[in-house]
Amino acid sequence: MDDEDQLVASAFSDDRGAVKRQLTKWSKPPMPKHIQEAKHRYAEEMTRLFRGSHSSSEVDFMFEGSTGFQENVWSVLEKIPYGRVTTYGLIAKVINSGPRAVGQAVGSNPCPLFIPCHRVVPSDMTVGNYSMMGKRPEDNGDVKRALLEREGIRFQGDKIPLAALWTPH
DNA sequence: TAGCAGATACCTT
DNA sequence: AAGGTATCTGCTA
């Protein structure tokens, strides 16, 4: 959080180092102070989101040190409806870019959960990858899957039903 | 239907 | 100008 109560970065992980790296990466030094304030409304919101609730309030973001391309991608992520998913390739199509570049930008999301990057999956509708600052993406697939299931998505084997696919516009 | 390459792709520093 | 990539597509069997 910055001094004007705008969200600069968020992180959650069983790896404390990863959390710290994520937060410092997107914060201008000195690091914002409010990180430990668990009672802050954003902290409570984050817990709700992790448990699979709908977002309950609008969030003011403050992006520092990001590129226009990244913010462009993130703005698409914010439009993905609750309980639905889209793919890297479809996002690439609407912004006239390539799927791998989109993957890079999605992976550099400064505010996971608030910006729902867990709702982006590969075109084969498997869960795909998820990571946070150095954790190997493939080690966090179960986290991503759990988040989607809490939003009501029922996997068929390792695949997400096509009905859950949302096409960005 | 599953596994593997190639793409001369696309963004970042 | 080089290096990284949380992908896609088409081909093989």
mmCIF file of all heavy atoms in Angstrom, chain B:
data_model
loop_
_atom_site.group_PDB
_atom_site.id
_atom_site.type_symbol
_atom_site.label_atom_id
_atom_site.label_comp_id
_atom_site.label_asym_id
_atom_site.label_seq_id
_atom_site.Cartn_x
_atom_site.Cartn_y
_atom_site.Cartn_z
ATOM 1 P P DT B 1 -10.023 -38.371 -27.192
ATOM 2 O OP1 DT B 1 -10.134 -37.447 -26.141
ATOM 3 O OP2 DT B 1 -10.818 -38.916 -28.089
ATOM 4 O "O5'" DT B 1 -8.500 -38.737 -27.521
ATOM 5 C "C5'" DT B 1 -7.897 -39.791 -26.812
ATOM 6 C "C4'" DT B 1 -6.410 -39.501 -26.796
ATOM 7 O "O4'" DT B 1 -5.864 -39.609 -28.145
ATOM 8 C "C3'" DT B 1 -6.095 -38.061 -26.348
ATOM 9 O "O3'" DT B 1 -5.010 -38.091 -25.470
ATOM 10 C "C2'" DT B 1 -5.708 -37.345 -27.591
ATOM 11 C "C1'" DT B 1 -5.046 -38.467 -28.363
ATOM 12 N N1 DT B 1 -4.999 -38.224 -29.833
ATOM 13 C C2 DT B 1 -3.963 -38.809 -30.528
ATOM 14 O O2 DT B 1 -3.124 -39.506 -30.014
ATOM 15 N N3 DT B 1 -3.969 -38.530 -31.877
ATOM 16 C C4 DT B 1 -4.886 -37.765 -32.574
ATOM 17 O O4 DT B 1 -4.782 -37.585 -33.774
ATOM 18 C C5 DT B 1 -5.938 -37.207 -31.772
ATOM 19 C C7 DT B 1 -6.986 -36.347 -32.425
ATOM 20 C C6 DT B 1 -5.949 -37.446 -30.469
ATOM 21 P P DA B 2 -4.812 -37.972 -24.113
ATOM 22 O OP1 DA B 2 -5.441 -39.094 -23.390
ATOM 23 O OP2 DA B 2 -5.191 -36.607 -23.767
ATOM 24 O "O5'" DA B 2 -3.218 -38.133 -24.052
ATOM 25 C "C5'" DA B 2 -2.624 -39.336 -24.488
ATOM 26 C "C4'" DA B 2 -1.257 -39.038 -25.097
ATOM 27 O "O4'" DA B 2 -1.344 -38.754 -26.505
ATOM 28 C "C3'" DA B 2 -0.552 -37.833 -24.473
ATOM 29 O "O3'" DA B 2 0.809 -38.163 -24.337
ATOM 30 C "C2'" DA B 2 -0.774 -36.740 -25.504
ATOM 31 C "C1'" DA B 2 -0.635 -37.555 -26.774
ATOM 32 N N9 DA B 2 -1.200 -36.952 -27.976
ATOM 33 C C8 DA B 2 -2.350 -36.206 -28.080
ATOM 34 N N7 DA B 2 -2.613 -35.800 -29.296
ATOM 35 C C5 DA B 2 -1.565 -36.314 -30.051
ATOM 36 C C6 DA B 2 -1.262 -36.231 -31.419
ATOM 37 N N6 DA B 2 -2.004 -35.592 -32.307
ATOM 38 N N1 DA B 2 -0.138 -36.847 -31.846
ATOM 39 C C2 DA B 2 0.622 -37.495 -30.959
ATOM 40 N N3 DA B 2 0.425 -37.647 -29.642
ATOM 41 C C4 DA B 2 -0.699 -37.025 -29.249
ATOM 42 P P DG B 3 1.728 -37.428 -23.294
ATOM 43 O OP1 DG B 3 1.875 -38.246 -22.089
ATOM 44 O OP2 DG B 3 1.223 -36.050 -23.183
ATOM 45 O "O5'" DG B 3 3.138 -37.389 -24.052
ATOM 46 C "C5'" DG B 3 3.484 -38.398 -24.987
ATOM 47 C "C4'" DG B 3 4.381 -37.799 -26.075
ATOM 48 O "O4'" DG B 3 3.558 -37.274 -27.149
ATOM 49 C "C3'" DG B 3 5.248 -36.640 -25.584
ATOM 50 O "O3'" DG B 3 6.578 -36.886 -25.976
ATOM 51 C "C2'" DG B 3 4.663 -35.399 -26.259
ATOM 52 C "C1'" DG B 3 4.030 -35.988 -27.519
ATOM 53 N N9 DG B 3 2.895 -35.233 -28.037
ATOM 54 C C8 DG B 3 1.826 -34.757 -27.321
ATOM 55 N N7 DG B 3 0.947 -34.129 -28.057
ATOM 56 C C5 DG B 3 1.474 -34.185 -29.333
ATOM 57 C C6 DG B 3 0.963 -33.674 -30.560
ATOM 58 O O6 DG B 3 -0.083 -33.057 -30.755
ATOM 59 N N1 DG B 3 1.808 -33.958 -31.629
ATOM 60 C C2 DG B 3 2.991 -34.639 -31.529
ATOM 61 N N2 DG B 3 3.666 -34.809 -32.665
ATOM 62 N N3 DG B 3 3.477 -35.125 -30.393
ATOM 63 C C4 DG B 3 2.675 -34.863 -29.345
ATOM 64 P P DC B 4 7.772 -35.942 -25.504
ATOM 65 O OP1 DC B 4 8.959 -36.769 -25.214
ATOM 66 O OP2 DC B 4 7.259 -34.991 -24.508
ATOM 67 O "O5'" DC B 4 8.047 -35.168 -26.866
ATOM 68 C "C5'" DC B 4 8.311 -35.950 -28.033
ATOM 69 C "C4'" DC B 4 8.429 -35.054 -29.248
ATOM 70 O "O4'" DC B 4 7.140 -34.528 -29.612
ATOM 71 C "C3'" DC B 4 9.351 -33.856 -29.026
ATOM 72 O "O3'" DC B 4 10.312 -33.824 -30.059
ATOM 73 C "C2'" DC B 4 8.414 -32.641 -29.087
ATOM 74 C "C1'" DC B 4 7.263 -33.151 -29.924
ATOM 75 N N1 DC B 4 5.965 -32.508 -29.615
ATOM 76 C C2 DC B 4 5.243 -31.900 -30.650
ATOM 77 O O2 DC B 4 5.706 -31.903 -31.793
ATOM 78 N N3 DC B 4 4.053 -31.316 -30.369
ATOM 79 C C4 DC B 4 3.579 -31.330 -29.113
ATOM 80 N N4 DC B 4 2.408 -30.755 -28.889
ATOM 81 C C5 DC B 4 4.301 -31.943 -28.055
ATOM 82 C C6 DC B 4 5.481 -32.516 -28.345
ATOM 83 P P DA B 5 11.688 -33.120 -29.713
ATOM 84 O OP1 DA B 5 12.682 -33.853 -30.510
ATOM 85 O OP2 DA B 5 11.879 -32.906 -28.271
ATOM 86 O "O5'" DA B 5 11.458 -31.706 -30.384
ATOM 87 C "C5'" DA B 5 12.137 -31.483 -31.571
ATOM 88 C "C4'" DA B 5 11.216 -30.889 -32.636
ATOM 89 O "O4'" DA B 5 9.861 -30.818 -32.196
ATOM 90 C "C3'" DA B 5 11.664 -29.483 -32.995
ATOM 91 O "O3'" DA B 5 12.020 -29.471 -34.361
ATOM 92 C "C2'" DA B 5 10.466 -28.600 -32.678
ATOM 93 C "C1'" DA B 5 9.302 -29.572 -32.528
ATOM 94 N N9 DA B 5 8.392 -29.203 -31.446
ATOM 95 C C8 DA B 5 8.576 -29.377 -30.105
ATOM 96 N N7 DA B 5 7.561 -28.988 -29.379
ATOM 97 C C5 DA B 5 6.643 -28.515 -30.302
ATOM 98 C C6 DA B 5 5.359 -27.974 -30.180
ATOM 99 N N6 DA B 5 4.747 -27.789 -29.005
ATOM 100 N N1 DA B 5 4.721 -27.611 -31.314
ATOM 101 C C2 DA B 5 5.329 -27.791 -32.492
ATOM 102 N N3 DA B 5 6.533 -28.311 -32.737
ATOM 103 C C4 DA B 5 7.141 -28.653 -31.587
ATOM 104 P P DG B 6 13.117 -28.404 -34.747
ATOM 105 O OP1 DG B 6 13.806 -28.941 -35.918
ATOM 106 O OP2 DG B 6 13.841 -27.991 -33.550
ATOM 107 O "O5'" DG B 6 12.167 -27.209 -35.219
ATOM 108 C "C5'" DG B 6 11.257 -27.459 -36.273
ATOM 109 C "C4'" DG B 6 10.301 -26.293 -36.380
ATOM 110 O "O4'" DG B 6 9.434 -26.273 -35.232
ATOM 111 C "C3'" DG B 6 11.012 -24.937 -36.412
ATOM 112 O "O3'" DG B 6 10.418 -24.187 -37.462
ATOM 113 C "C2'" DG B 6 10.723 -24.344 -35.035
ATOM 114 C "C1'" DG B 6 9.384 -24.971 -34.694
ATOM 115 N N9 DG B 6 9.086 -25.088 -33.274
ATOM 116 C C8 DG B 6 9.933 -25.470 -32.269
ATOM 117 N N7 DG B 6 9.359 -25.498 -31.090
ATOM 118 C C5 DG B 6 8.057 -25.107 -31.336
ATOM 119 C C6 DG B 6 6.969 -24.938 -30.446
ATOM 120 O O6 DG B 6 6.936 -25.118 -29.227
ATOM 121 N N1 DG B 6 5.826 -24.527 -31.118
ATOM 122 C C2 DG B 6 5.741 -24.298 -32.465
ATOM 123 N N2 DG B 6 4.565 -23.904 -32.936
ATOM 124 N N3 DG B 6 6.750 -24.450 -33.304
ATOM 125 C C4 DG B 6 7.874 -24.848 -32.673
ATOM 126 P P DA B 7 11.053 -22.849 -37.956
ATOM 127 O OP1 DA B 7 11.031 -22.897 -39.429
ATOM 128 O OP2 DA B 7 12.311 -22.636 -37.239
ATOM 129 O "O5'" DA B 7 10.003 -21.751 -37.484
ATOM 130 C "C5'" DA B 7 8.623 -21.941 -37.742
ATOM 131 C "C4'" DA B 7 7.815 -20.948 -36.935
ATOM 132 O "O4'" DA B 7 7.732 -21.406 -35.568
ATOM 133 C "C3'" DA B 7 8.427 -19.536 -36.876
ATOM 134 O "O3'" DA B 7 7.424 -18.563 -37.105
ATOM 135 C "C2'" DA B 7 8.961 -19.442 -35.451
ATOM 136 C "C1'" DA B 7 7.945 -20.304 -34.716
ATOM 137 N N9 DA B 7 8.403 -20.815 -33.423
ATOM 138 C C8 DA B 7 9.648 -21.243 -33.073
ATOM 139 N N7 DA B 7 9.748 -21.643 -31.823
ATOM 140 C C5 DA B 7 8.469 -21.470 -31.317
ATOM 141 C C6 DA B 7 7.920 -21.715 -30.051
ATOM 142 N N6 DA B 7 8.605 -22.198 -29.021
ATOM 143 N N1 DA B 7 6.605 -21.428 -29.881
ATOM 144 C C2 DA B 7 5.918 -20.938 -30.909
ATOM 145 N N3 DA B 7 6.342 -20.668 -32.149
ATOM 146 C C4 DA B 7 7.635 -20.966 -32.290
ATOM 147 P P DT B 8 7.048 -18.048 -38.580
ATOM 148 O OP1 DT B 8 6.322 -16.818 -38.292
ATOM 149 O OP2 DT B 8 6.435 -19.111 -39.292
ATOM 150 O "O5'" DT B 8 8.451 -17.754 -39.327
ATOM 151 C "C5'" DT B 8 8.981 -16.482 -39.339
ATOM 152 C "C4'" DT B 8 9.707 -16.186 -38.028
ATOM 153 O "O4'" DT B 8 10.676 -17.216 -37.766
ATOM 154 C "C3'" DT B 8 10.465 -14.869 -38.032
ATOM 155 O "O3'" DT B 8 10.220 -14.155 -36.842
ATOM 156 C "C2'" DT B 8 11.923 -15.270 -38.119
ATOM 157 C "C1'" DT B 8 11.882 -16.618 -37.381
ATOM 158 N N1 DT B 8 12.989 -17.531 -37.771
ATOM 159 C C2 DT B 8 13.562 -18.302 -36.805
ATOM 160 O O2 DT B 8 13.186 -18.268 -35.645
ATOM 161 N N3 DT B 8 14.577 -19.110 -37.238
ATOM 162 C C4 DT B 8 15.062 -19.228 -38.531
ATOM 163 O O4 DT B 8 15.971 -19.979 -38.791
ATOM 164 C C5 DT B 8 14.396 -18.410 -39.507
ATOM 165 C C7 DT B 8 14.793 -18.483 -40.914
ATOM 166 C C6 DT B 8 13.420 -17.607 -39.090
ATOM 167 P P DA B 9 9.097 -13.264 -36.517
ATOM 168 O OP1 DA B 9 8.291 -13.037 -37.724
ATOM 169 O OP2 DA B 9 9.638 -12.112 -35.797
ATOM 170 O "O5'" DA B 9 8.253 -14.153 -35.482
ATOM 171 C "C5'" DA B 9 7.010 -14.766 -35.845
ATOM 172 C "C4'" DA B 9 6.040 -14.602 -34.694
ATOM 173 O "O4'" DA B 9 6.424 -15.477 -33.598
ATOM 174 C "C3'" DA B 9 6.000 -13.202 -34.102
ATOM 175 O "O3'" DA B 9 4.718 -12.868 -33.627
ATOM 176 C "C2'" DA B 9 6.987 -13.267 -32.954
ATOM 177 C "C1'" DA B 9 6.887 -14.726 -32.497
ATOM 178 N N9 DA B 9 8.187 -15.263 -32.101
ATOM 179 C C8 DA B 9 9.265 -15.524 -32.905
ATOM 180 N N7 DA B 9 10.296 -16.006 -32.263
ATOM 181 C C5 DA B 9 9.885 -16.058 -30.939
ATOM 182 C C6 DA B 9 10.529 -16.469 -29.761
ATOM 183 N N6 DA B 9 11.777 -16.912 -29.733
ATOM 184 N N1 DA B 9 9.826 -16.394 -28.602
ATOM 185 C C2 DA B 9 8.569 -15.950 -28.641
ATOM 186 N N3 DA B 9 7.861 -15.527 -29.690
ATOM 187 C C4 DA B 9 8.582 -15.610 -30.817
ATOM 188 P P DC B 10 4.349 -11.328 -33.494
ATOM 189 O OP1 DC B 10 2.892 -11.228 -33.554
ATOM 190 O OP2 DC B 10 5.211 -10.576 -34.417
ATOM 191 O "O5'" DC B 10 4.834 -10.933 -32.012
ATOM 192 C "C5'" DC B 10 4.007 -11.210 -30.898
ATOM 193 C "C4'" DC B 10 4.729 -10.767 -29.647
ATOM 194 O "O4'" DC B 10 5.885 -11.599 -29.459
ATOM 195 C "C3'" DC B 10 5.235 -9.330 -29.686
ATOM 196 O "O3'" DC B 10 4.562 -8.578 -28.693
ATOM 197 C "C2'" DC B 10 6.730 -9.425 -29.400
ATOM 198 C "C1'" DC B 10 6.890 -10.834 -28.855
ATOM 199 N N1 DC B 10 8.187 -11.462 -29.165
ATOM 200 C C2 DC B 10 8.918 -12.056 -28.138
ATOM 201 O O2 DC B 10 8.452 -12.062 -26.993
ATOM 202 N N3 DC B 10 10.114 -12.629 -28.423
ATOM 203 C C4 DC B 10 10.580 -12.612 -29.669
ATOM 204 N N4 DC B 10 11.756 -13.190 -29.902
ATOM 205 C C5 DC B 10 9.850 -12.012 -30.724
ATOM 206 C C6 DC B 10 8.674 -11.449 -30.436
ATOM 207 P P DC B 11 4.911 -7.095 -28.348
ATOM 208 O OP1 DC B 11 3.679 -6.406 -27.999
ATOM 209 O OP2 DC B 11 5.781 -6.566 -29.401
ATOM 210 O "O5'" DC B 11 5.770 -7.282 -27.008
ATOM 211 C "C5'" DC B 11 5.167 -7.909 -25.891
ATOM 212 C "C4'" DC B 11 6.150 -7.981 -24.741
ATOM 213 O "O4'" DC B 11 7.282 -8.796 -25.114
ATOM 214 C "C3'" DC B 11 6.717 -6.638 -24.296
ATOM 215 O "O3'" DC B 11 6.757 -6.604 -22.886
ATOM 216 C "C2'" DC B 11 8.108 -6.616 -24.893
ATOM 217 C "C1'" DC B 11 8.487 -8.094 -24.884
ATOM 218 N N1 DC B 11 9.447 -8.476 -25.937
ATOM 219 C C2 DC B 11 10.621 -9.146 -25.586
ATOM 220 O O2 DC B 11 10.829 -9.409 -24.402
ATOM 221 N N3 DC B 11 11.488 -9.487 -26.565
ATOM 222 C C4 DC B 11 11.232 -9.187 -27.841
ATOM 223 N N4 DC B 11 12.111 -9.546 -28.771
ATOM 224 C C5 DC B 11 10.032 -8.503 -28.205
ATOM 225 C C6 DC B 11 9.177 -8.169 -27.231
ATOM 226 P P DT B 12 7.091 -5.233 -22.137
ATOM 227 O OP1 DT B 12 6.165 -5.116 -20.995
ATOM 228 O OP2 DT B 12 7.179 -4.154 -23.142
ATOM 229 O "O5'" DT B 12 8.554 -5.518 -21.574
ATOM 230 C "C5'" DT B 12 8.828 -6.721 -20.880
ATOM 231 C "C4'" DT B 12 10.307 -6.794 -20.483
ATOM 232 O "O4'" DT B 12 11.089 -7.248 -21.613
ATOM 233 C "C3'" DT B 12 10.927 -5.465 -20.024
ATOM 234 O "O3'" DT B 12 11.637 -5.673 -18.828
ATOM 235 C "C2'" DT B 12 11.854 -5.081 -21.179
ATOM 236 C "C1'" DT B 12 12.220 -6.424 -21.778
ATOM 237 N N1 DT B 12 12.523 -6.391 -23.235
ATOM 238 C C2 DT B 12 13.645 -7.043 -23.710
ATOM 239 O O2 DT B 12 14.413 -7.636 -22.990
ATOM 240 N N3 DT B 12 13.821 -6.968 -25.066
ATOM 241 C C4 DT B 12 13.007 -6.319 -25.984
ATOM 242 O O4 DT B 12 13.270 -6.332 -27.169
ATOM 243 C C5 DT B 12 11.857 -5.664 -25.416
ATOM 244 C C7 DT B 12 10.919 -4.925 -26.316
ATOM 245 C C6 DT B 12 11.677 -5.725 -24.093
ATOM 246 P P DT B 13 12.078 -4.456 -17.917
ATOM 247 O OP1 DT B 13 11.831 -4.828 -16.514
ATOM 248 O OP2 DT B 13 11.481 -3.217 -18.446
ATOM 249 O "O5'" DT B 13 13.656 -4.391 -18.154
ATOM 250 C "C5'" DT B 13 14.445 -5.540 -17.923
ATOM 251 C "C4'" DT B 13 15.850 -5.342 -18.482
ATOM 252 O "O4'" DT B 13 15.829 -5.520 -19.910
ATOM 253 C "C3'" DT B 13 16.445 -3.956 -18.222
ATOM 254 O "O3'" DT B 13 17.736 -4.076 -17.673
ATOM 255 C "C2'" DT B 13 16.511 -3.308 -19.591
ATOM 256 C "C1'" DT B 13 16.615 -4.512 -20.509
ATOM 257 N N1 DT B 13 16.094 -4.267 -21.869
ATOM 258 C C2 DT B 13 16.698 -4.858 -22.952
ATOM 259 O O2 DT B 13 17.651 -5.584 -22.850
ATOM 260 N N3 DT B 13 16.138 -4.563 -24.156
ATOM 261 C C4 DT B 13 15.045 -3.739 -24.391
ATOM 262 O O4 DT B 13 14.643 -3.550 -25.523
ATOM 263 C C5 DT B 13 14.454 -3.148 -23.215
ATOM 264 C C7 DT B 13 13.284 -2.253 -23.354
ATOM 265 C C6 DT B 13 14.994 -3.439 -22.025
#
